[in-house]
Each structure stands twice: as C-alpha cells, then as structure tokens.
Amino acid sequence: MIEVNKLINLFKKPAKKRKINKIDDTRIPSHIAIIMDGNGRWAKARQLPRTFGHKAGVEALRDVIKTASNIGVKYLTLYAFSTENWSRPQDEVSALMQLLVDYLKKEVGELHSNNVRINTIGDIEGLPRIAKIEVKNAKALTKSNSGLCVNIALNYGGRDEIIRGIKKLYKDVEDGLSIENLQVEEFAGYLDTTNIPDPDLLIRTSGEYRFSNFLLWQSAYTELWFTETYWPDFRGEDLIGAIVDYQNRTRRFGGI
Ligand code: IPE
Ligand code: IPE
Ligand code: MG
C-alpha cells in the first residue's frame, strides 16, 4: 500500500526552479519602468538617517543598469524624483539633488563607454541649477549612443506631463493645427516620452501598490510587478525574476 507521505508528495506542487535559468532572451521587454521605492524605510530599519538609504540605492541602480544593458533592454525609465517629492524636508530634497549631481559626475563616463544613452522625462527646468547643468552635460555626452537608454524621471509627475503636453498642443493649435481629429498617437507625441514606446513592464519595490503619479498615460497596458524588497536591496537578479514573470503572462490589449 502506498504510504500517506508519498501520496501527499504526489499532490505537492513541484519545487520552483530558479527563475534565473528560465529567461527567454528572444522576448526581453523593450521598455522597463521602475519606481525605486523604500530607501527611507531601508535606512530606518538600520537606524540610519533616510539619506543613507538614498545613497545605498545607488548600488542597486548600478547593478540594475548593468543587467538591463547586458540582456538587451532598450529603455529603462527610473522614477528618481517626483513633482510631489518637493514636499519633503528641505535637507532631504537637497541631499537627493546632490546625490543626482554626484552620481552623474562619477558615473557618466563609464555609462558612456558602455554605449548607454542618458535621457530624462519631467520638467528639468524646475531643478536646481547644478542638477540642470549635470543632466544637460550627461545627455549631450551620450546622445549618439545606441545601447540602453536610461531615462531618468526628474521633477516628473504624470499629471504635470499631461498638462505641459496640452500647453504645447495648444500652441500648435494657435498656429493652425486642427484638433478635430486628434489621435491618441498624435497626443502621445506631446508628452515627455515622445519617441519612446510605452513601458512593457512596470516594477515597484518596497511593497507599495500604487502609481504615485508615474507614467499615467503610458501605463495603459503595462504589466505591473511588485516586490516587498526595498530599493537598496534590489539587484539585477531581481530584475531577471520580474522579467521571467512578465514572460509568463499573456498580454491581450483588450482583445481575446
Ligand atoms: C524612494 O525612496 C526614493 C525617492 C522617493 C526619491 P523613499 O525615500 O520614498 O523611501 P520610503 O518610501 O520613505 O521608504
Ligand atoms: C514615488 O515614491 C517617487 C519615487 C520613487 C521617486 P514616493 O515614496 O514618493 O511615493 P508615495 O509618496 O509613497 O506614494
Ligand atoms: Mg517612498
């Protein structure tokens, strides 16, 4: 007679194989967007000031960019500073801006030698002068690169982007553009993401399940992926895990 334990084992789900082996490199999402969240809580859990969490997040950033570049992702959009983040204490805002400046100064050379192109979305004119200069330099230096496009969302809010888009459109209407038959694709061209395809996959770290004003228009049919991991602990292998899950989904775009 068959033993009870053997019988139970028969009905157990097979152990999950390590996902890292199962990625299909012929179906890498072309655009991945990430809400890099949880720096403050990462620091708090270690009784450190919040800014230490932001600093620790740079290591995650490096690893994720390296992995995305190696596996052939075309666009990586990273939420670095939202239009709402200005409401944080002044010293945290300053620390984040300084971190951005230091990061670009230190890393842009290596990114450039790896054929990475730096782009931004968001209202760059609203950034402090030093940050604006560094961002502009990084974009200018890397503009002809053909590898991964690292698209940094800075002073970015989805609603702000749509309003700015409408203002640009309005100017064209004043110059004689007919708005009667305005198409979805045409309006998309007025957004900061013009020439960038919609994200295939959106990742949010730190166990929060919301958009927080990120890519509201562009995420209409994006696959969403969440993890409890705080951003400073996120690594390239977590990105691979998200991609494997993504590859196991069926995107229907409203069809059957
Ligand atoms: C994300 O981490 C980084 C930015 C928003 C700039 P947070 O600073 O939001 O960290 P938590 O969510 O407070 O833990
Ligand atoms: C979103 O995270 C913005 C960035 C990651 C840059 P927040 O921490 O600002 O979002 P909320 O406040 O938790 O919604
Ligand atoms: Mg947060």
Side-chain angles (χ1 to χ4, degrees), residues 37-39 41 50 88 204 206 208 210:
D37 199 13
N39 296 353
R41 278 164 287 161
R50 291 177 55 85
R88 295 188 178 200
R204 184 167 190 154
S206 87
E208 304 293 356
R210 53 180 173 265

Side-chain angles (χ1 to χ4, degrees), residues 35-37 79-82 85 88 204 208 210 212:
I35 303 178
M36 310 182 288
D37 199 13
Y79 207 3
F81 195 88
S82 76
N85 287 147
R88 295 188 178 200
R204 184 167 190 154
E208 304 293 356
R210 53 180 173 265
S212 300

Side-chain angles (χ1 to χ4, degrees), residues 20 33 35 56 73 107 121 136 166 189 201 216 220 225 227-228 248:
I20 206 148
I35 303 178
V73 173
E107 311 268 329
I121 55 171
K136 283 180 182 170
I166 290 170
L201 172 63
L216 298 180
W225 193 87
T227 174
E228 297 290 318
N248 284 316

